[in-house]
Amino acid sequence: MPDSATMLTNAPPLARFVLRADAETTIKAGAVYGLDLPLTINQGASKGERGKPGARVALKLGPDEFWLIVPEAEGAGVRALLDTALAGCVCALVDVSHRQVGFVLSGPDAATLLSSGCPLDFDLRAFPLGMATRSVFDKIEFMVWRMAQDVFRIEVARSFGPYFEAMIAEARHDLV
Amino acid sequence: MSRFRTGAGGRIDRARGINFTFDGRLYTGLQGDTLASALLANGVHLVGRSFKYHRPRGILASGAEEPNALVTVMRDAGRTTPNLRATQVEIYEGLAAKSQNRWPSLEFDLGAVNALASPLLASGFYYKTFMGPRFLGSNKAWAKLYEPLIRRAAGLGRAPEAPDPDRYARRYAHCEVLVVGAGEAGLRAALDASADPHCRVILCDEQAEMGGWQLNAGSDDLVEMLETLGARPNVRLLARTQAFGVYAQGAVALAQRLTDHLAAPSPETPRERLWQVRAGEIVLATGAIERPLVFPGNDRPGVMLAGAVETFANRYGIRPGERAVVATTCNSAYGAAFALKQAGVDLAAIIDLRDKPDPALAANALKAGIPVHTASVIVGTEGHKRVRSVRLGKVEPCGIVKSTDSIACDLVAMSGGWVPSVHLFSQSRGKLAWNGETGVYSPGKDAPGQKTRSVGLCSGEFPADMRGFHNGALPTPDEKGAAKAFVDFQNDVTARDIRLAAREGFHSVEHVKRYTTTGMATDQGKTSNMNALGILSGALEKPVPDIGLTTFRQPYTPVTFGIFAGANRAGLFDPVRKTPAHAGADALGGVFEDVGLWKRAHHFPRKGETMHAAVNRECRAVREAVGLFDASTLGKIELVGPDAAEFLDRVYVNSFAKLGIGRCRYAVLTNEAGYVIDDGVVARLAQDRFHITTTTGGAGRVFAMFEDYLQAEWPELRAWQTSITEQFATFAIQGPKAREVLAPLVEGIAMENEAFPHMAMREGRVAGIPARVFRMSFTGEAGYEVNVPAGEGARLWPVLLDAVDKAGGAVYGTEAMHVLRAEKGYIIVGQETDGTMTPDDVGLGWAIGKGKRDFVGKRGMMRTDLIAPGRKQLVGLETLDDKTVLEEGAQITDTPTPAPGSAALGHVTSSYWSEALHRPIALAVVAGGRGRMGETLHVPMPGGAIPVRVVSPVFHDPEGARLHA
């Protein structure tokens, strides 16, 4: 297999929530969450270092759909804060911490490896920094979020994790 | 140097000899040779036998359009590729190739006796001959006798039987401009487009070297253009890459050959790479293909296309013969004549169909000492495995052809003019336009959603020297002559075959194509299309554009199966979904079955136990003590919002408005037609929050249906669904000792029967893990389903297993689950239902919310045929002998020997040995079944009809007392 500096690593344990909310509720949520939720669709926002205390991620993946991702230990606290702040608002907050597993694909061949299974255009003009979207990777659905030119965060359903890892390993053979 | 090589020139490396074998004989070629050029350099013209008549065939063309020279290249048992065009195979040290469709050898082929029977093998021969005998039944003889024989006798190479050990890669790519073909026009288009650094350009070409016809000249321009393109970061150059299919909205599939040209490729490196390109604009620069001339005996080895001859001479330094004749209707073939002369080949004649060939060219020819015969054609050839001579015919002004001299030659370079290669444009669904002046179809209007541009020769704009043409067969003195004039070399179709088809009433070009097989299969009529149309036009006395044109199909050239499979084979064929407790179940010796993509434990045999013994033991454990079951694969949805209950009222047949918090309800889902499509349990977590389960297989479908209704039908409802299938690991603890097992592990939930009744739901902790606990049952016993976060599933499983073990229980699999639910008459969607069963049909009429104004399926269920008497209804069946287990799917009739053709009353949907009842049980759907209780019906089987008694589908604990214990 060709040598490549591109690495696929597993995310640390995380708490994840799906929030469905209108713009007004979104602002309220952002205030207690400690990170403004993105206003534009297919945008990700983050602060802190993943898995470390205080880290926050907010991805807007649908017109009213957000994924909120925090360190596992802070999940219950964040949930309680949001429940309180959003009481009385028309919205939905669901815990999906264990539904998914996360990866980071980073290195010079990251986009090429993604292109082995994902039909999206990973050119920076088409898929700029901060963009996050659901798509397909070969036979599974996945979520891909560009943190930097060569750094992508990926989430797949828990049972699809091994398949995704194996397909990326297979695609490495094509880095010739 | 071989006498078939020129002294200098060309793009081969004369210092680097390469050894290869063809049909086991060792030959030497040069670096840069294709298999075709290397064979010609060794004087080998006979390279294959034809498809139907096993006629000796040689190399006709020099590129992808080659119809004859199909070979098998063998590396090892799994790395064997049949039907490769020798003109595209690059030779490497040690290459082993063999010819096809011959036995015992290419030189002496017994199949050639077909040629003697050839008057019988005319078009439609198979359809006309292999029809009987009738007493065998329709088509029996064809399938069992004729087809296997014909397939062995005729056809192409053999597919390898060993598994293909190679890897195949795949990439998606995006560009503003994709240029297909790196000849002069393609290179210029790529240069123009890529001048803008923001414009991503992909340039692909099927040959090893880019340049197309330019490679025949060796121009400095070419080097410079390729250097410029190579230096631009926005350009991707893909050589050895065939654009084989154009699909909707600028999608183009490219097959790149990565290792086929290497003597010792690394097993780690993919053999081929599939590029799935999305292009803003597709620039087609695919050039033109030369038309063969259709004259009797035009398929003898040594008869080649003039352009190919010129290419072999100039690019590969080949002298393809000693003494050549050029037959043409087009100026361009004079180039071949001069190239041959240059290469030291003796030119016997130029035979030009036209009265007045280009005077300057004719003068040049005469100056070079080449006799030019005008208004002349070839009317026949002699020779067996190589052309030996041609017979010249003079076309009189009245059209009659007079046979004149015989001209000795071992090479015929022919040209019937040129045809733009419009295959890819046609695949893009663009409209082809007829151009009477050049006698070709050329690209016209783009299909909607496509942006293509044809540049260079494939646009149909030809320079003057390429415009002469003749469509159809050349005039001959002998219309009924026995000699064959081939139109489609690959499919062995002659001019006579096409005329015969027209006479027999096949007037549509689509019918003629299928009847004669012209233009079919892998060749897709590359060299034959226009000539076939020309002949048909003559036979029908209709102009060519009135006949129509068949569709060019993908792929342009054959593509390996491997490239389509890519990584999706063996362990990566599909994702394999495993539950959090999978490893635990595996360690217990669980036997798994596939349910969708999931692996589910079917049963857990103990040492020496058969499947039936294991299932019976598992069933006993649940009925007598307690059983543990992994139900994690069930689909789960969390529905939240003030209108969540209203949404559920509208999609399910049941009512949910009054469902109390902490209560569950069995729910039936129908489609708009009123047929059952899924079922599950809905639990109310809070006023505005529900936990819904679906079937394992229906999870995705139900989620999609809900989303469709939420987004498209009822956008006013304030409710949102989230899939939580994989958020939870779900374990069922079922049996009289279920509470005894679970209670000690539970915190925060009052477990007493009254505090936590059947069809209730509580949140608390199990073994310290936050859990949603449902009291419900799919077994008929009191039981619970424990949902914990999936990441904790592997930790909880052994805890539950241990507790169940200590209570004398057992783990059970899906088969025991099926038996247990059947004993209770619980349906499985897809087993008791088949997409045509209403809730009432399967005994679930009680679930329908009577007071509801509307719900999905309500109106469907009221259709007259869905409420008519006599519908099939779910019943139980008991075999009268108390021991026969019926076959699932078996038909049910009211007499033991129903009259042939009479309809069945219904069929068996589920059938098992019931360990609890010590007898076989079955569920079935039977016309008017609920009105037939106690009746004896029959299940006709090959060994005789089995009498059965119609009973209630609830075999076990009909009062349901055990559920509430």
Side-chain angles (χ1 to χ4, degrees):
Chain A
M1 198 182 298
D3 284 334
S4 170
T6 306
M7 307 276 289
L8 182 70
T9 48
N10 295 91
L14 298 167
R16 302 170 173 87
F17 301 94
V18 173
L19 173 68
R20 306 291 295 271
D22 61 17
E24 199 181 322
T25 313
T26 305
I27 294 165
K28 273 192 205 172
V32 292
Y33 186 55
L35 173 68
D36 286 341
L37 274 42
L39 297 173
T40 19
I41 196 166
N42 292 139
Q43 277 293 310
S46 66
K47 71 169 193 183
E49 193 183 334
R50 171 135 87 167
K52 298 281 157 55
R56 295 287 180 273
V57 165
L59 309 170
K60 182 165 183 171
L61 297 176
D64 64 356
E65 180 179 358
F66 300 85
W67 286 11
L68 308 179
I69 304 177
V70 302
E72 187 182 43
E74 294 171 42
V78 165
R79 171 89 201 223
L81 274 176
L82 287 169
D83 277 343
T84 310
L86 303 181
C89 297
V90 174
C91 65
L93 183 67
V94 174
D95 183 352
V96 292
S97 303
H98 290 244
R99 182 178 77 168
Q100 291 155 207
V101 288
F103 297 95
V104 179
L105 186 64
S106 61
D109 296 314
T112 303
L113 289 174
L114 287 175
S115 292
S116 72
C118 179
L120 292 177
D121 185 353
F122 289 103
D123 187 282
L124 271 170
R125 286 171 295 166
F127 203 110
L129 300 188
M131 179 166 165
T133 183
R134 270 180 290 235
S135 183
V136 291
F137 186 86
D138 207 276
K139 292 187 176 181
I140 63 172
E141 182 183 309
F142 81 152
M143 192 288 300
V144 56
W145 173 30
R146 186 173 225 156
M147 302 287 290
Q149 175 155 1
D150 290 346
V151 181
F152 295 88
R153 283 195 192 169
I154 288 144
E155 297 259 323
V156 304
R158 168 175 287 267
S159 66
F160 290 147
Y163 179 80
F164 180 72
E165 286 181 88
M167 291 300 286
I168 290 290
E170 178 65 28
R172 283 178 187 277
H173 288 278
D174 189 32
L175 298 178
V176 287
Chain B
M1 191 61 59
S2 138
R3 67 191 169 103
F4 303 107
R5 244 354 140 176
T6 58
R11 299 189 76 84
I12 31 116
D13 183 349
R14 289 165 195 268
R16 289 177 63 192
I18 288 180
N19 299 307
F20 68 98
T21 64
F22 181 65
D23 282 344
R25 257 187 85 175
L26 185 67
Y27 297 98
T28 304
L30 296 174
Q31 179 68 37
D33 263 330
T34 63
L35 180 58
S37 68
L39 286 170
L40 291 174
N42 285 277
V44 177
H45 277 255
L46 171 63
V47 292
R49 290 274 173 170
S50 73
F51 187 68
K52 207 157 81 175
Y53 306 116
H54 292 246
R55 286 167 69 99
R57 286 284 167 82
I59 294 156
L60 182 75
S62 60
E65 71 276 26
E66 172 60 39
N68 282 339
L70 302 184
V71 297
T72 299
V73 173
M74 304 154 293
R75 282 191 199 264
D76 56 44
R79 291 184 175 90
T80 291
T81 314
N83 306 334
L84 291 172
R85 290 145 305 281
T87 48
Q88 290 188 300
V89 174
E90 294 172 60
I91 60 165
Y92 51 80
E93 186 64 33
L95 172 108
K98 66 176 180 186
S99 57
Q100 298 179 167
N101 200 27
R102 81 287 189 274
W103 188 84
S105 78
L106 183 59
E107 294 286 330
F108 177 72
D109 175 22
L110 281 179
V113 296
N114 278 6
L116 300 178
S118 67
L120 301 175
L121 286 171
S123 38
F125 167 67
Y126 299 125
Y127 305 118
K128 290 167 186 165
T129 310
F130 299 108
M131 296 291 287
R134 290 235 183 254
F135 65 84
L136 284 175
S138 63
N139 282 330
K140 275 269 162 52
W142 170 257
K144 294 260 183 291
L145 181 65
Y146 298 132
E147 184 180 342
L149 269 175
I150 290 166
R151 284 206 186 280
R152 222 168 315 151
L156 303 167
R158 281 178 177 271
E161 280 165 27
D164 181 347
D166 283 320
R167 293 174 184 282
Y168 295 85
R170 182 176 68 187
R171 273 193 214 174
Y172 291 96
H174 301 259
C175 62
E176 279 65 47
V177 178
L178 168 70
V179 183
V180 180
E184 189 180 355
L187 288 166
R188 295 213 182 280
L191 277 170
D192 287 351
S194 62
D196 172 1
H198 295 299
C199 180
R200 290 171 293 173
V201 175
I202 296 176
L203 172 61
C204 70
D205 192 279
E206 47 100 1
Q207 300 196 35
E209 257 193 293
M210 294 198 163
W213 189 260
Q214 301 253 302
L215 296 171
N216 290 357
S219 74
D220 293 337
D221 258 15
L222 174 61
V223 177
E224 199 189 309
M225 284 194 283
L226 283 170
E227 271 173 9
T228 308
L229 285 169
R232 288 181 179 170
N234 54 325
V235 176
R236 195 192 282 276
L237 297 174
L238 300 174
R240 299 188 176 93
T241 303
Q242 180 78 61
F244 67 83
V246 177
Y247 304 87
Q249 297 173 324
V252 186
L254 319 177
Q256 184 178 14
R257 304 185 303 278
L258 297 172
T259 63
D260 273 3
H261 61 291
L262 301 175
S266 155
E268 295 293 304
T269 306
R271 178 188 174 207
E272 293 180 341
R273 181 190 290 139
L274 173 67
W275 291 89
Q276 287 168 277
V277 179
R278 183 71 68 178
E281 183 186 28
I282 304 166
V283 175
L284 298 170
T286 49
I289 293 172
E290 200 161 23
R291 261 176 273 220
L293 289 172
V294 182
F295 56 82
N298 63 345
D299 67 327
R300 294 208 197 284
V303 180
M304 300 170 73
L305 291 170
V309 167
E310 192 173 341
T311 298
F312 283 123
N314 288 342
R315 179 170 167 190
Y316 298 100
I318 304 287
R319 295 172 61 241
E322 306 279 352
R323 188 174 152 83
V325 162
V326 172
T328 187
T329 63
C330 181
N331 288 353
S332 63
Y334 287 73
F338 301 136
L340 287 171
K341 194 83 189 167
Q342 185 78 28
V345 177
D346 192 12
L347 260 289
I350 293 177
I351 302 172
D352 198 320
L353 175 66
R354 298 168 297 181
D355 296 338
K356 296 188 180 72
D358 185 287
L361 285 174
N364 278 347
L366 290 173
K367 208 185 299 162
I370 310 170
V372 177
H373 302 272
T374 60
S376 297
V377 291
I378 297 176
V379 297
T381 65
E382 285 82 36
H384 179 47
K385 290 169 196 162
R386 179 78 183 266
V387 64
R388 206 171 57 225
S389 66
V390 298
R391 263 179 297 118
L392 186 63
K394 188 84 184 162
V395 186
E396 308 272 313
C398 58
I400 288 171
V401 183
K402 289 239 171 84
S403 185
T404 59
D405 302 331
S406 183
I407 305 173
C409 62
D410 61 355
L411 176 69
V412 176
M414 63 177 166
S415 177
W418 295 83
V419 179
S421 181
V422 295
H423 294 66
L424 296 180
F425 176 78
S426 174
Q427 287 177 13
S428 83
R429 302 276 158 162
K431 286 262 175 297
L432 291 170
W434 172 249
N435 182 340
E437 211 175 302
T438 43
V440 295
Y441 281 101
S442 43
K445 224 174 131 218
D446 267 335
Q450 297 282 23
K451 190 177 173 200
T452 76
R453 180 156 53 96
S454 293
V455 299
L457 297 179
C458 74
S459 69
E461 298 288 324
F462 290 163
D465 279 348
M466 293 178 72
R467 284 193 193 149
F469 74 94
H470 182 79
N471 275 341
L474 291 179
T476 136
D478 175 19
E479 282 290 342
K480 339 189 263 286
K484 293 182 165 56
F486 282 89
V487 177
D488 185 327
F489 291 75
Q490 191 170 96
N491 295 298
D492 255 5
V493 180
T494 65
R496 232 158 57 104
D497 289 330
I498 292 173
R499 290 193 195 106
L500 176 66
R503 271 206 308 282
E504 291 185 348
F506 293 90
H507 291 183
S508 151
V509 67
E510 296 285 356
H511 291 159
V512 171
K513 171 178 169 176
R514 281 153 189 85
Y515 193 58
T516 63
T517 71
T518 188
M520 301 230 324
T522 61
D523 187 60
Q524 286 294 297
K526 290 184 188 72
T527 53
S528 63
N529 234 316
M530 289 315 302
N531 279 333
L533 287 176
I535 295 166
L536 194 58
S537 157
L540 297 175
E541 295 175 353
K542 274 207 273 190
V544 170
D546 290 0
I547 291 173
L549 189 64
T550 58
T551 310
F552 294 96
R553 309 217 180 258
Q554 300 97 343
Y556 177 70
T557 51
V559 180
T560 59
F561 284 111
I563 208 168
F564 288 120
N568 298 125
R569 56 183 189 169
L572 293 178
F573 177 70
D574 258 340
V576 177
R577 307 180 76 178
K578 294 178 179 171
T579 69
H582 183 93
D586 198 27
L588 285 174
V591 174
F592 291 88
E593 64 168 339
D594 291 331
V595 180
L597 297 176
W598 288 103
K599 292 282 178 201
R600 299 197 74 179
H602 182 265
H603 63 285
F604 293 87
R606 290 181 180 166
K607 210 169 177 182
E609 222 177 21
T610 64
M611 183 192 104
H612 286 291
V615 171
N616 290 343
R617 175 181 50 73
E618 291 168 17
C619 288
R620 272 198 311 276
V622 174
R623 293 274 179 246
E624 291 163 15
V626 61
L628 172 64
F629 176 69
D630 183 359
S632 302
T633 63
L634 285 182
K636 302 171 208 73
I637 294 168
E638 193 158 319
L639 184 75
V640 183
D643 297 325
E646 171 67 16
F647 174 77
L648 292 173
D649 266 355
R650 292 190 193 180
V651 287
Y652 281 104
V653 306
N654 314 68
S655 292
F656 294 97
K658 294 197 186 113
L659 183 69
I661 294 168
R663 301 293 303 189
C664 316
R665 184 159 291 166
Y666 174 69
V668 179
L669 190 69
T670 61
N671 58 16
E672 291 81 351
Y675 297 126
V676 175
I677 54 168
D678 205 76
D679 66 353
V681 168
V682 173
R684 191 166 209 161
L685 298 164
Q687 189 60 30
D688 62 349
R689 188 175 293 260
F690 292 85
H691 179 120
I692 301 159
T693 67
T694 73
T695 58
T696 297
R701 202 166 52 230
V702 171
F703 191 87
M705 173 185 167
F706 283 7
E707 200 57 42
D708 185 17
Y709 271 99
L710 282 168
Q711 288 190 24
E713 302 295 333
W714 308 316
E716 73 283 5
L717 290 187
R718 296 161 303 164
W720 295 272
Q721 61 162 352
T722 303
S723 168
I724 51 168
T725 300
E726 294 225 44
Q727 165 69 11
F728 291 107
T730 307
F731 302 118
I733 298 121
Q734 301 276 312
K737 292 185 177 175
R739 187 180 306 117
E740 178 189 322
V741 163
L742 192 59
L745 299 171
V746 169
E747 298 161 62
I749 302 173
M751 293 294 285
E752 297 77 23
N753 196 20
E754 304 72 34
F756 193 177
H758 182 56
M759 296 310 271
M761 180 270 168
R762 300 287 183 267
E763 289 182 87
R765 283 177 180 271
V766 176
I769 304 163
R772 291 178 178 177
V773 184
F774 292 68
R775 177 152 176 207
M776 57 193 229
S777 172
F778 198 47
T779 59
E781 301 302 322
Y784 303 89
E785 287 189 6
V786 178
N787 291 273
V788 294
E792 306 285 2
R795 190 154 72 83
L796 182 58
W797 172 261
V799 175
L800 295 175
L801 193 62
D802 188 51
V804 164
D805 262 351
K806 285 193 174 122
V811 60
Y812 66 101
T814 51
E815 184 64 9
M817 179 269 281
H818 282 167
V819 176
L820 295 165
R821 64 91 206 175
E823 288 171 346
K824 283 290 290 179
Y826 296 151
I827 67 156
I828 286 186
V829 172
Q831 190 152 341
E832 272 64 55
T833 69
D834 61 359
T836 67
M837 303 299 283
T838 67
D840 184 64
D841 293 341
V842 286
L844 296 174
W846 58 266
I848 298 171
K850 302 293 181 294
K852 293 205 293 180
R853 194 171 61 82
D854 200 4
F855 58 87
V856 173
K858 180 174 170 121
R859 252 176 278 180
M861 271 175 229
M862 294 189 304
R863 286 181 295 159
T864 46
D865 58 323
L866 267 64
I867 52 173
R871 282 190 64 79
K872 288 178 186 169
Q873 293 172 326
L874 181 72
V875 295
L877 295 182
E878 288 176 353
T879 40
L880 295 190
D881 67 2
D882 289 345
K883 57 180 193 226
T884 309
V885 179
L886 297 170
E887 290 275 345
E888 287 179 358
Q891 302 292 301
I892 300 163
T893 56
D894 51 5
T895 72
T897 50
S902 59
L905 291 173
H907 68 277
V908 178
T909 57
S910 296
S911 177
Y912 309 95
W913 171 260
S914 166
E915 187 67 2
L917 282 82
H918 291 289
R919 59 160 305 128
I921 59 164
L923 298 176
V925 291
V926 172
R930 288 201 288 270
R932 292 178 183 269
M933 290 299 146
E935 272 184 34
T936 298
L937 297 176
H938 302 272
V939 177
M941 295 299 289
I946 302 163
V948 295
R949 184 168 45 244
V950 180
V951 298
S952 155
V954 187
F955 296 91
H956 178 73
D957 186 26
E959 297 77 31
R962 298 175 73 91
L963 289 172
H964 300 279

